[in-house]
Amino acid sequence: MSGIDTDLYDDRDRGLLTARAGGAAGEIVGYLQYFVLDEPAPALVAAHTVVDRAHEGKGIAGSLARELYALAARETLAVAPLCSFVAAWAERHPGEAPAAPAELLAAAEAALAAEPEKW
């Protein structure tokens, strides 16, 4: 990341990947909201990415997207990018972000429609 020193933290119970300035107790400067999909295959579904206005343009959202894909890879999970930012980031980084099958994306969209609070 350029311009700001941040650390990334995964809170799986809340479905939140956060970027914090100043370590674990520091200010949240961005986050990526996601949920876990079980069927048709286990996946992390990126639902929404937000960066504090004062920290936009510093690579925070891209770092969050990269970390979500790295997390999924470590756990042998797919990523279904419903968040428009994460989907665009994945298209620009195909080596780091394997494309999700259409069936998985459709299941993720259906899960989000059934439980809109996931977003």
Side-chain angles (χ1 to χ4, degrees):
M1 252 179 272
S2 61
I4 185 170
D5 186 25
T6 60
D7 295 304
L8 304 179
Y9 297 92
D10 179 35
D11 183 343
R12 183 65 52 96
D13 292 337
R14 293 179 58 208
L16 208 56
L17 189 57
T18 58
R20 292 176 180 263
E27 171 194 10
I28 294 176
V29 295
Y31 65 88
L32 191 156
Q33 188 173 351
Y34 70 93
F35 62 92
V36 178
L37 184 69
D38 294 320
E39 297 292 332
L44 299 180
V45 180
H48 192 56
T49 305
V50 174
V51 173
D52 183 85
R53 211 175 266 274
H55 297 288
E56 289 177 349
K58 298 176 182 177
I60 294 169
S63 292
L64 289 164
R66 178 174 279 115
E67 180 61 18
L68 184 73
Y69 276 92
L71 230 153
R74 287 191 297 270
E75 297 178 26
T76 320
L77 299 171
V79 173
L82 297 187
C83 168
S84 59
F85 175 83
V86 175
W89 185 91
E91 285 183 21
R92 291 190 310 273
H93 300 88
E96 296 177 76
E103 176 187 20
L104 184 62
L105 290 170
E109 289 172 350
L112 191 56
E115 295 181 60
E117 68 276 4
K118 290 181 185 226
W119 183 82

